[in-house]
Amino acid sequence: GNLLVEGYIGDLKNGSTDSRIAAARELANLGSAARAALPALEPLAKHADAKLSAAAAAAIKAIKTAN
């Protein structure tokens, strides 16, 4: 797998809220290369923290719509 993506997945699962938001934004920038992160992002799109849920939702959209 992609080590960069794996690192961000670790942040999504175990990081602080700020590090989760940063990871989601970086994964969004990677686009389809970050597909492996979708299972970690999807529950965060429903997170109580509005910034985190928005970042996760944006990342999911960016990954799914990237070519």
Side-chain angles (χ1 to χ4, degrees), residues 45-60:
K46 298 177 181 74
H47 197 277
D49 185 282
K51 280 187 184 166
L52 177 52
S53 61
I60 292 164

Side-chain angles (χ1 to χ4, degrees), residues 2-4 6 17-18 21 24-25 27 29 34 40 43 47 52 63:
N2 183 322
L3 289 177
L4 190 62
E6 296 297 323
T17 299
D18 285 343
I21 292 167
R25 288 180 177 155
L27 289 162
N29 292 335
H47 197 277
L52 177 52
I63 293 165

